[in-house]
Amino acid sequence: MLRRKRNLQSLAGFLEIPQDLVLDLPRITMLGNKQLLVENHKGIIEYTPSLVRIKLSQGELFVCGEELMLGNLQAEQILIEGIVQEVKYDI
């Protein structure tokens, strides 16, 4: 499995393809502590105003904060708005 992953990374680099596409990785973009965009997710596990848990291809993403809201929910991306205090990627 590790060898296959390395081969895919090498191929992605050679072909100049973003690794998140080849390796099924999430892309996480943060705008200050006000917005967090998660692309290439596998669904929402838990949602409260202080915690959002998102399933990823490998593990989970924990977003902790205050007044968290889902601003834009699509099949491939989630926009979380509010006051983001902590982001944890648990594999």
Side-chain angles (χ1 to χ4, degrees), residues 41-80:
H41 66 88
K42 302 300 179 193
I44 297 173
I45 299 170
E46 181 179 355
Y47 168 63
T48 69
S50 61
L51 173 67
V52 179
R53 288 176 52 211
I54 300 170
K55 182 164 179 52
L56 305 174
S57 60
Q58 297 177 356
E60 295 180 19
L61 185 71
F62 294 79
V63 181
C64 302
E66 298 176 13
E67 302 173 10
L68 299 177
M69 300 183 312
L70 301 179
N72 185 8
L73 181 59
Q74 297 180 7
E76 290 295 318
Q77 68 180 28
I78 298 172
L79 177 65
I80 301 170

Side-chain angles (χ1 to χ4, degrees), residues 12-63:
F14 179 74
L15 297 175
E16 298 181 5
I17 299 171
Q19 289 189 15
D20 59 320
L21 295 177
V22 175
L23 299 175
D24 195 29
L25 297 174
R27 180 179 297 258
I28 302 165
T29 308
M30 208 168 166
L31 180 62
N33 71 334
K34 304 297 182 196
Q35 290 184 337
L36 184 80
L37 178 66
V38 181
E39 298 174 90
N40 200 20
H41 66 88
K42 302 300 179 193
I44 297 173
I45 299 170
E46 181 179 355
Y47 168 63
T48 69
S50 61
L51 173 67
V52 179
R53 288 176 52 211
I54 300 170
K55 182 164 179 52
L56 305 174
S57 60
Q58 297 177 356
E60 295 180 19
L61 185 71
F62 294 79
V63 181

Side-chain angles (χ1 to χ4, degrees), residues 79-91:
L79 177 65
I80 301 170
E81 297 178 306
I83 301 169
V84 178
Q85 297 171 328
E86 180 180 2
V87 179
K88 179 182 172 189
Y89 193 142
D90 189 22
I91 297 176

